[in-house]
Amino acid sequence: GNAAAAIGLMHIKEATKRTDLDPLINRYLGALSEHLSHHDEKGNLWMSEYISPSLPGGRVDVMNGHFYAIAAMYEWRKRTDDTRYDGLIMDGLSSMKNSLPLMVQDGYFSYAINYPEIKDYGQQRAVNFAVAACSLDKSICPGADECRALFNRWNSIAGQDDEKLSSGSGNIRAAED
């Protein structure tokens, strides 16, 4: 939620030229670090998608929510040259690199870290996140390539046509443009 709100506010700021939104945007982004993130037992930084005392461990770490938080901080960086979130971006990308292999199950990508039995409801989307992360950190590219190859193999086995990445070229660079 915070990442989506921050990105929405960035777009409103751009459309309306309102500079008074900067503190509010930074409160949303700052909460990702201050209240909505943690380090797992392996030292990986996670910006959690679900936080509730009723959840095991109080949170669930989901790759798409984690990447969306990284994307929001990255968009702020590109729009403002504000470097305050650079460490979180890099640590978050490192966590993705370390965790991509854990998301690969027998014939599908799982939805949440520590819940491998839950199939991601957007298998193509799972690949797109990995490829987009690769555009920000080249060390993730081998894992993204493996995800794409597995996805294509699984679709082929299932008798489905191979889906193309949303960019159509297999290389998401929109974050840089």
Side-chain angles (χ1 to χ4, degrees):
N2 278 38
I7 288 175
L9 286 167
M10 287 180 228
H11 289 262
I12 291 169
K13 175 187 172 183
E14 180 178 47
T16 64
K17 308 297 185 227
R18 289 182 54 193
T19 59
D20 64 313
L21 294 175
D22 289 1
L24 182 57
I25 294 167
N26 276 302
R27 279 198 298 276
Y28 278 109
L29 293 174
L32 293 169
S33 168
E34 297 165 19
H35 305 293
L36 304 175
S37 67
H38 72 103
H39 287 87
D40 66 17
E41 64 281 351
K42 295 177 183 170
N44 293 307
L45 172 73
W46 282 98
M47 289 166 266
S48 300
E49 183 162 346
Y50 301 107
I51 295 180
S52 168
S54 63
L55 293 169
R59 66 182 72 242
V60 176
D61 298 323
V62 179
M63 189 67 77
N64 67 333
H66 177 75
F67 183 72
Y68 204 61
I70 293 167
M73 289 182 232
Y74 183 77
E75 184 166 341
W76 180 251
R77 169 79 157 93
K78 296 303 277 187
R79 289 173 177 266
T80 66
D81 292 325
D82 183 344
T83 61
R84 80 178 86 180
Y85 304 111
D86 285 4
L88 291 168
I89 293 168
M90 296 313 298
D91 289 349
L93 288 168
S94 177
S95 297
M96 285 186 74
K97 176 185 173 186
N98 295 337
S99 300
L100 279 176
L102 302 175
M103 305 301 281
V104 176
Q105 304 305 316
D106 187 20
Y108 66 93
F109 300 109
S110 63
Y111 180 67
I113 300 298
N114 298 327
Y115 294 93
E117 69 281 3
I118 301 174
K119 183 178 181 179
D120 192 318
Y121 60 87
Q123 294 293 289
Q124 175 66 61
R125 183 189 59 140
V127 175
N128 290 351
F129 286 135
V131 172
C134 161
S135 74
L136 299 177
D137 179 350
K138 296 300 179 206
S139 71
I140 295 174
C141 294
D145 289 341
E146 178 65 17
C147 287
R148 185 180 6 220
L150 286 169
F151 176 77
N152 288 336
R153 186 173 340 125
W154 295 334
N155 276 345
S156 178
I157 290 169
Q160 301 173 3
D161 292 330
D162 290 345
E163 292 186 36
K164 302 296 179 202
L165 292 173
S166 61
S167 68
S169 66
N171 185 9
I172 297 176
R173 299 298 288 173
E176 294 290 330
D177 297 334

